[in-house]
Amino acid sequence: MKGTQPLIFSLSLTVTIFSLFTTSSLAQQNVTTSIPQQFREAPKFYNAPDCPSILVTIDKFAVDTNNNKGDGVRKHQFICSIDAVHVAMTLDAAYIRGSMAAILSTLQHTSCPQNVFFHFVASASADASLLGSTIAASFPYLNFKIYRFHDSAVAGLISTSIRSALDCPLNYARSYLADLLPPCVRRVVYLDSDLVLVDDIAKLAAIQLGGGRVLAAPEYCNANFTSYFTSTFWSNPSLSLTFADRKACYFNTGVMVIDLHRWRTGGYTTKIEEWMELQKRMRIYELGSLPPFLLVFAGNIEPVDHRWNQHGLGGDNFRGLCRDLHPGPVSLLHWSGKGKPWARLDASRPCPLDALWAPYDLLKPPYSFDS
């Protein structure tokens, strides 16, 4: 099955979908250690004829970078290939349904699905073997690896935010990708679990980062940037001058292209941690893992077309109200915010655009579960 062409959403489609569903808001699911759902097997996707060939194959998933006894050599060769497209995501039981949809949409819409390698980061307290076997059952041919993220590395730096789900240590794992992934991986596309792609991820991965920039993401310069930080931050001259020499614009950290080599050499994990330490003492922001990224990178990123992150479809962080698509073409839909499409669909109270997520849902209906 070959990757499909990018999906273009027309105004008429949006209007039609809006007539089918009603508005609602739902609380986010709690983190769990078990996986009560069962998922269908996805179709196998094959490279287009003009894709570069990566001769190494992966027989099975592995857990941890230092636990590769059986297929470690072949896995290392694949991961270090210059033709591999690297995708990083966090993985847990609460969001695995969203992760499945994100993986399927990525494979379905890329021309070279066999060249994509997924790096999944799971909490050290999670059952990584269960998570891996669940992914492998639905995607038997997927090239992937699971890395354990020790919550203790960041737990002491986390401050409470406006929503408890934002305080999960795994939300901060994106700041440690340069340490977790093998040194030969120089570039990765980081994706949240509440999104789907409708375009070729290789296009996003190939974006050039000029001027020594470390990451690329869509910028939103019309957003009220001051609202992401407290009055304590803005009233302190030494802190507010952080953005004095750059045009700081909001960007969403759920979709980023990261140059891991530049990240490592620039010590950017330490820079993010320093802001988190200050936050513990002075309360300079309210929104979880996002503000430290803004403090370090806002105004110094490679801007990406907005089509690559139609974010906010989950509504705001308090009510989860329905949102419409932003103007313009669409390559990636992102249900950031409180409301998640699978929860709203299960409750029979979906938002209109949740119908665009539903085709990628691999969940088996309850009546189809094996005894």
Side-chain angles (χ1 to χ4, degrees):
M1 185 172 181
K2 185 178 174 182
T4 60
Q5 294 295 318
L7 180 61
I8 304 299
F9 295 98
S10 65
L11 177 62
S12 61
L13 173 61
T14 303
V15 172
T16 300
I17 293 171
F18 258 93
S19 68
L20 298 177
F21 299 99
T22 59
T23 299
S24 79
S25 62
L26 288 176
Q28 220 171 10
Q29 297 178 350
N30 293 326
V31 174
T32 59
T33 55
S34 62
I35 303 176
Q37 308 107 319
Q38 295 187 30
F39 300 93
R40 304 190 310 275
E41 182 177 331
K44 183 177 181 181
F45 298 92
Y46 296 90
N47 282 358
D50 58 347
C51 292
S53 177
I54 299 179
L55 299 178
V56 179
T57 59
I58 309 294
D59 293 334
K60 58 183 179 180
F61 72 92
V63 176
D64 281 342
T65 53
N66 299 317
N67 190 18
N68 308 329
K69 301 300 184 182
D71 60 343
V73 173
R74 285 176 294 172
K75 184 177 284 84
H76 180 77
Q77 291 173 346
F78 188 106
I79 291 175
C80 295
S81 170
I82 61 173
D83 294 316
V85 174
H86 295 280
V87 179
M89 300 174 65
T90 57
L91 191 64
D92 65 7
Y95 281 86
I96 195 167
R97 186 172 170 188
S99 300
M100 291 283 197
I103 297 166
L104 176 58
S105 69
T106 300
L107 297 175
Q108 182 174 332
H109 293 287
T110 184
S111 297
C112 305
Q114 293 172 293
N115 291 3
V116 180
F117 195 99
F118 284 85
H119 303 266
F120 297 120
V121 180
S123 172
S125 61
D127 188 337
S129 295
L130 178 59
L131 290 168
S133 61
T134 302
I135 295 291
S138 288
F139 302 97
Y141 306 101
L142 190 70
N143 301 314
F144 75 97
K145 188 173 184 176
I146 297 180
Y147 306 81
R148 287 191 175 98
F149 178 66
H150 293 276
D151 296 353
S152 58
V154 71
L157 296 172
I158 296 176
S159 302
T160 56
S161 63
I162 63 172
R163 186 158 59 91
S164 60
L166 300 176
D167 301 336
C168 172
L170 197 59
N171 286 340
Y172 293 81
R174 72 195 79 188
S175 301
Y176 296 87
L177 293 175
D179 301 321
L180 292 167
L181 273 56
C184 67
V185 179
R186 298 176 65 93
R187 172 179 291 219
V188 69
V189 179
Y190 174 82
L191 300 176
D192 274 350
S193 298
D194 52 358
L195 55 78
V196 294
L197 283 96
V198 291
D199 204 342
D200 194 337
I201 195 170
K203 299 177 184 176
L204 181 60
I207 288 174
Q208 297 298 311
L209 278 70
R213 295 186 179 95
V214 177
L215 65 83
E219 283 187 319
Y220 301 88
C221 294
N222 293 327
N224 181 8
F225 192 81
T226 60
S227 65
Y228 293 98
F229 304 95
T230 64
S231 57
T232 300
F233 176 87
W234 293 114
S235 62
N236 186 317
S238 64
L239 296 179
S240 59
L241 286 174
T242 301
F243 301 108
D245 59 347
R246 44 183 164 138
K247 183 181 179 182
C249 298
Y250 163 80
F251 65 93
N252 180 277
T253 54
V255 180
M256 298 183 290
V257 181
I258 306 173
D259 187 312
L260 295 177
H261 175 69
R262 292 176 183 172
W263 183 293
R264 295 177 183 118
T265 57
Y268 284 94
T269 296
T270 299
K271 294 177 181 179
I272 287 176
E273 288 180 336
E274 288 172 350
W275 282 112
M276 294 174 67
E277 290 169 353
L278 182 62
Q279 160 76 353
K280 294 287 286 186
R281 300 196 303 269
M282 297 184 63
R283 194 72 179 180
I284 58 175
Y285 55 79
E286 303 289 350
L287 272 174
S289 62
L290 169 65
F293 265 84
L294 297 179
L295 286 161
V296 174
F297 293 110
N300 289 325
I301 72 169
E302 187 71 32
V304 176
D305 193 286
H306 289 178
R307 68 188 301 155
W308 287 106
N309 194 355
Q310 288 264 349
H311 69 284
L313 303 185
D316 60 51
N317 282 309
F318 293 101
R319 296 175 296 276
L321 300 177
C322 295
R323 297 280 184 87
D324 196 0
L325 289 174
H326 310 170
V330 178
S331 291
L332 184 151
L333 298 108
H334 186 188
W335 278 261
S336 58
K338 185 177 181 180
K340 302 305 172 188
W342 54 88
R344 296 191 295 215
L345 287 164
D346 286 352
S348 298
R349 293 183 295 174
C351 285
L353 294 177
D354 294 345
L356 302 178
W357 180 89
Y360 303 99
D361 186 12
L362 289 174
L363 183 71
K364 287 183 178 180
Y367 58 78
S368 71
F369 284 8
D370 296 331
S371 59

